[in-house]
Amino acid sequence: MNRREFVKSASVTAVATGAGVAAPAVFSSAQAQARNETLLIVSESGPNNLDIHGVGTNVPGYEASWNTYDRLITHEMTEKDGVRYYDRDKLKGELAEDMNIGDMSVTFKLKKNATFQDGSPVTAKDVKWSLDRAVSVGGFPTFQMKAGSLEKPEQFVVVDDHTVRIDFLRKDRLTIPDLAVIVPCVINSGLVQKNATEKDPWGLEYTKQNTAGSGAYRVTKWTPGTEVIFERFEDWKGGPLPKIKRVIWRMVPSAGNRRALLERGDADISYDLPNKDFVELKQAGKLNITSVPYSNGVQYIGMNVKNPPFDNLKVREAIAYAIPYQKIMDAALFGLAKPMFGAPADAQTKVAWPQPTKFVTDLAKAKQLLAEAGYPDGLETTLSFDLGFAGVNEPLCVLLQENLAQIGIKTTINKIPGANWRTELTKKVLPLFTNVFSGWLDYPEYFFFWCYHGNNSIFNTMSYQSAAMDAFIDGARAAAANGDKAAYDAGVKGMVDLAFADVPRIPLYQPYVNVAMQKNITGYEYWFHRRLDYRAFQKG
């Protein structure tokens, strides 16, 4: 497929079921200006939901939400190792023109000229309704808000049409930055309420397939599993008007086809090719390749500690010593990751996250631990992974399967489609699996609150419960809010040490975000959510 056919095919694909919008006309090859204003992205998988508040919204859905909705505030940009990078500690207004932080509340003045994509004004009532929704729908969005002590609708107060106040439940350094993540997006409450029902009071079915925001882009067509088309919102007030007018995001399951489209110039960007391809493409020099470590992120092997056999610490330790760490680094990742294993025996725990464990591959020790656990003849289990990111997950699981077989553990690999992964993972019934978690707020206590706390968030995928761990996490959060460095340091070291001792999950490596772009594409920015931000891209 050449570029002209590729673009033309994007214009004629059927309209998304239930989307209720006509397919936009896509530029012809004669329109050079339109080509420069259209970005063509190819990836392995796409969104299963356009609403970050939706049930089981997958990671690609985060990208759709980020680019189509605004928040009250967002991050400034800085530069890190030659890449534009979000500044964790500097925030600015997006829908807010002013932010006044008091002792136990923060007040926002809204931009009076901001409108939603249907032309209706953005008001404080919309902000309150949106935040009420986020803390009320349950699941991931509600837990995300709770991570910043945003828990009750009563916290969100309409002062006047363009002023909203958020009252703090407690002092928490995560509260303000938590307002800049994807979840607290501002939604057109009037539009969604018109499409809500008694059984669906928050209009989740409507926003699953329709965007209702004020963001820089609006979805004009979505064909699940095939493509999403975004058009620039010409009256966007959240920042400078983007240079790119149209984004065509196509799902191309074959990594070989994605690479071929890039190499022929038929696609502009791809970000989930196998690492081997990124290494080879970088060596070839015809594309720009960017590799950035996930902020606050770890790929891990998780075990369900509520049920046998992984309720047994020695079984979990056996798995940890059976993992072929370096083979995974070499054969699955081609070196494009930071190892989170093999720390020296005398290494001191740091006040930082992520940091490596002291585990190394030792099959004899693994087999001994398995016997001590009461499984001298081994055991059988399933090993699950997200097929939406099969480029790394599949070779990783095959390598692990081979090593586990050597200590008597027979595994059946369970390939779960990307659109279903989040739903299956959050049922917390998978016995053994690999997954990645990257904390949107780059603080150790935030990561541990999500992944290890007894509140049992959806990302505590191991169903791990420990009163001692909860005390470390809660203590670190309280110490951070009160500026008590000694208590904070002790809390972080305590939770890291306990996580490595109880080993409900085994860190493997800190992944890299790898993005391949044509040489004429500029403006890539790394964000905490690791997805593409279309607003800064330019095309020469």
Side-chain angles (χ1 to χ4, degrees):
M1 180 183 289
N2 61 33
R3 183 183 184 85
R4 183 176 181 181
E5 291 168 339
F6 179 74
V7 175
K8 184 179 178 183
S9 71
S11 71
V12 298
T13 307
V15 175
T17 301
V21 290
V26 178
F27 60 82
S28 71
S29 59
Q31 294 174 296
Q33 181 63 27
R35 278 203 301 273
N36 286 337
E37 294 173 337
T38 298
L39 198 66
L40 293 105
I41 302 165
V42 292
S43 70
E44 185 168 3
S45 58
N48 64 353
N49 196 319
L50 300 178
D51 184 3
I52 190 69
H53 295 173
V55 177
T57 301
N58 62 3
V59 173
Y62 298 176
E63 184 169 320
S65 178
W66 180 255
N67 287 285
T68 55
Y69 290 89
D70 289 325
R71 286 109 204 128
L72 288 167
I73 53 175
T74 190
H75 290 269
E76 298 273 13
M77 298 304 295
T78 184
E79 193 165 296
K80 198 171 183 179
D81 299 324
V83 175
R84 294 271 293 165
Y85 200 99
Y86 83 101
D87 191 325
R88 186 193 77 169
D89 301 318
K90 290 185 180 178
L91 295 160
K92 63 179 180 178
E94 191 162 80
L95 280 175
E97 65 179 12
D98 181 68
M99 175 174 67
N100 183 11
I101 302 175
D103 184 48
M104 288 302 292
S105 68
V106 57
T107 302
F108 296 95
K109 291 280 189 183
L110 302 180
K111 295 176 179 176
K112 292 184 179 178
N113 60 351
T115 66
F116 290 108
Q117 292 158 1
D118 67 353
S120 58
V122 177
T123 70
K125 175 189 161 195
D126 295 300
V127 175
K128 175 173 171 51
W129 187 87
S130 303
L131 299 179
D132 286 356
R133 186 185 199 242
V135 301
S136 301
V137 293
F140 163 63
T142 297
F143 203 91
Q144 174 63 51
M145 298 292 281
K146 187 176 181 180
S149 296
L150 300 165
E151 302 176 20
K152 301 177 180 179
E154 299 82 60
Q155 290 179 258
F156 315 121
V157 180
V158 173
V159 178
D160 60 40
D161 284 351
H162 293 95
T163 310
V164 65
R165 187 182 76 242
I166 298 176
D167 295 331
F168 302 155
L169 290 179
R170 61 189 69 88
K171 290 185 182 294
D172 187 342
R173 75 165 171 177
L174 302 181
T175 298
I176 300 299
D178 202 32
L179 291 168
V181 302
I182 305 177
V183 169
C185 56
V186 177
I187 300 166
N188 186 334
S189 61
L191 175 61
V192 176
Q193 284 173 314
K194 287 177 185 175
N195 290 277
T197 65
E198 187 178 342
K199 290 184 177 180
D200 181 22
W202 296 110
L204 294 171
E205 280 303 311
Y206 177 77
T207 50
K208 178 178 182 177
Q209 300 184 84
N210 300 271
T211 49
S214 60
Y217 290 90
R218 58 192 177 92
V219 171
T220 56
K221 188 174 77 166
W222 175 38
T223 308
T226 301
E227 72 177 355
V228 190
I229 295 182
F230 301 83
E231 300 278 354
R232 187 174 70 190
F233 175 39
E234 299 299 326
D235 290 326
W236 185 54
K237 298 301 189 297
L241 195 65
K243 301 293 186 184
I244 298 296
K245 282 189 174 181
R246 176 180 291 131
V247 178
I248 301 172
W249 178 11
R250 301 212 70 199
M251 287 80 248
V252 180
S254 164
N257 288 345
R258 294 196 301 279
R259 176 171 175 171
L261 287 165
L262 278 169
E263 290 183 307
R264 292 201 304 264
D266 295 336
D268 294 315
I269 301 177
S270 189
Y271 49 81
D272 55 4
L273 293 168
N275 284 22
K276 178 174 182 288
D277 288 338
F278 280 114
V279 171
E280 292 172 354
L281 290 170
K282 189 168 188 175
Q283 292 171 344
K286 293 180 181 179
L287 298 162
N288 285 332
I289 308 295
T290 298
S291 296
V292 184
Y294 281 24
S295 54
N296 207 10
V298 175
Q299 179 96 20
Y300 65 93
I301 298 298
M303 295 157 284
N304 189 320
V305 301
K306 283 182 68 176
N307 302 318
F310 299 113
D311 59 343
N312 188 315
L313 174 61
K314 287 186 181 292
V315 172
R316 302 196 298 271
E317 290 176 330
I319 299 290
Y321 282 108
I323 294 171
Y325 297 100
Q326 196 57 49
K327 283 184 181 178
I328 290 170
M329 288 292 299
D330 296 340
L333 300 166
F334 292 82
L336 290 178
K338 186 176 180 180
M340 285 296 131
F341 57 89
D346 59 352
Q348 299 297 305
T349 304
K350 299 175 183 176
V351 184
W353 187 260
Q355 57 183 293
T357 72
K358 295 175 183 178
F359 291 114
V360 293
T361 307
D362 186 335
L363 292 178
K365 189 167 187 176
K367 198 161 189 175
Q368 177 188 337
L369 284 163
L370 200 61
E372 291 174 5
Y375 297 94
D377 300 321
L379 57 90
E380 292 189 22
T381 188
T382 57
L383 172 59
S384 303
F385 72 83
D386 180 355
L387 197 57
F389 299 93
V392 166
N393 285 342
E394 188 156 20
L396 185 162
C397 286
V398 168
L399 289 168
L400 177 57
Q401 182 185 47
E402 291 172 353
N403 262 36
L404 291 178
Q406 293 184 59
I407 66 167
I409 297 179
K410 181 182 178 182
T411 56
T412 301
I413 292 181
N414 180 26
K415 305 176 185 182
I416 299 176
N420 301 335
W421 174 252
R422 176 65 60 80
T423 301
E424 292 302 309
L425 190 67
T426 56
K427 289 178 182 176
K428 304 191 181 186
V429 295
L430 302 176
L432 181 67
F433 53 91
T434 188
N435 191 45
V436 65
F437 180 82
S438 176
W440 285 350
L441 305 183
D442 196 2
Y443 302 92
E445 67 273 23
Y446 176 85
F447 185 103
F448 276 77
F449 179 72
W450 270 108
C451 298
Y452 290 91
H453 199 283
N455 278 331
N456 206 23
S457 88
I458 63 167
F459 295 121
N460 181 348
T461 49
M462 316 82 61
S463 295
Y464 174 69
Q465 301 281 322
S466 165
M469 177 63 82
D470 294 352
F472 284 131
I473 297 169
D474 295 340
R477 291 188 66 179
N482 296 319
D484 187 340
K485 186 177 185 304
Y488 177 76
D489 291 356
V492 171
K493 289 181 180 179
M495 61 196 190
V496 171
D497 286 340
L498 186 55
F500 290 173
D502 282 355
V503 67
R505 62 168 64 180
I506 306 157
L508 299 177
Y509 54 85
Q510 184 177 10
Y512 289 173
V513 175
N514 300 305
V515 182
M517 296 169 278
Q518 299 297 337
K519 291 281 189 179
N520 66 333
I521 304 296
T522 58
Y524 171 75
E525 296 177 344
Y526 176 84
W527 283 88
F528 56 85
H529 47 67
R530 313 189 312 273
R531 308 303 297 184
L532 296 181
D533 187 327
Y534 308 150
R535 299 171 295 184
F537 280 115
Q538 296 188 47
K539 191 172 180 183

